[in-house]
Amino acid sequence: FTISGADAGNYTLAQPVTTADITPASLTINGVTADSRVYNALTNATLSGTASLVGVFVGDTVNLDETSVSANFNNKNVGTNKAVTVLGYTINGTDAGNYTLAQPSGLTADITAASLNVTGVTASNKVYDATTAALLSGGSLVGVIGGDAVSLTTTTTGVFDTKNVGVGKTVTGVGFTISGADAGNYTLAQPVT
């Protein structure tokens, strides 16, 4: 601020003093992706890539700290392009107090179905009848995780590999199914005996 005019020389001018705020600049994180995985009854997710800070001004010292990073799917269930929430990235360094950090957003990944098998199935011998039909009995699930609610519906239907007479012939189950609140998180392989 300056003064001018015919009488300006008769005055001194004090510069004004006032107040205003400097708010932190925003930083974002680049280079992080979420990994797809097989169903495990948990919501945990893993991240890949090399995280880097975007928005640090030249000359400032700001470091990214990944020590406490965690990532989670929105629920445990099988699905595609499921949202993944990331928490725990922090910043440190001489100038870190001049910035705020946004956690990575918009990340998605898939949870694919876990495999279940059927054990304990037996096939009955039969007299040749020109068909491949086989009679099965028994069966229980193998591979259900923790306390998941999955039940096996057994069937007596099986198929011999051929209609011809033979010893120790392969029989494949047909029609075994699963049900229950968590059944959608699994695929079921038909038993072979």
Side-chain angles (χ1 to χ4, degrees):
F1 286 89
T2 60
I3 54 176
S4 60
D7 298 303
N10 297 318
Y11 296 90
T12 60
L13 178 64
Q15 296 296 316
V17 176
T18 187
T19 61
D21 300 337
I22 298 178
T23 57
S26 297
L27 298 180
T28 57
I29 297 171
N30 195 19
V32 177
T33 58
D35 297 335
S36 296
R37 65 161 172 80
V38 175
Y39 174 79
N40 65 3
L42 303 173
T43 61
N44 66 298
T46 56
L47 302 176
S48 293
T50 303
S52 61
L53 287 173
V54 178
V56 177
F57 290 101
V58 175
D60 277 0
T61 301
V62 182
N63 307 305
L64 184 62
D65 186 345
E66 303 177 56
T67 305
S68 300
V69 173
S70 65
N72 287 284
F73 286 97
N74 55 352
N75 61 48
K76 71 174 185 174
N77 298 321
V78 166
T80 57
N81 293 318
K82 295 174 64 74
V84 175
T85 301
V86 179
L87 298 171
Y89 281 101
T90 58
I91 52 176
N92 58 44
T94 307
D95 299 295
N98 296 315
Y99 295 91
T100 58
L101 179 64
Q103 300 296 311
S105 61
L107 300 183
T108 61
D110 302 339
I111 296 179
T112 57
S115 298
L116 295 180
N117 294 302
V118 179
T119 189
V121 175
T122 57
S124 298
N125 298 329
K126 73 171 188 174
V127 175
Y128 175 79
D129 63 2
T131 73
T132 58
L135 181 63
L136 301 178
S137 61
S140 60
L141 280 176
V142 176
V144 176
I145 299 169
D148 277 0
V150 183
S151 301
L152 176 67
T153 301
T154 60
T155 178
T156 59
T157 305
V159 178
F160 281 98
D161 53 354
T162 70
K163 68 176 186 173
N164 300 322
V165 169
V167 176
K169 295 176 66 69
T170 299
V171 177
T172 303
V174 178
F176 285 83
T177 60
I178 53 175
S179 61
D182 297 301
N185 295 314
Y186 295 91
T187 57
L188 179 66
Q190 295 298 311
V192 177
T193 190

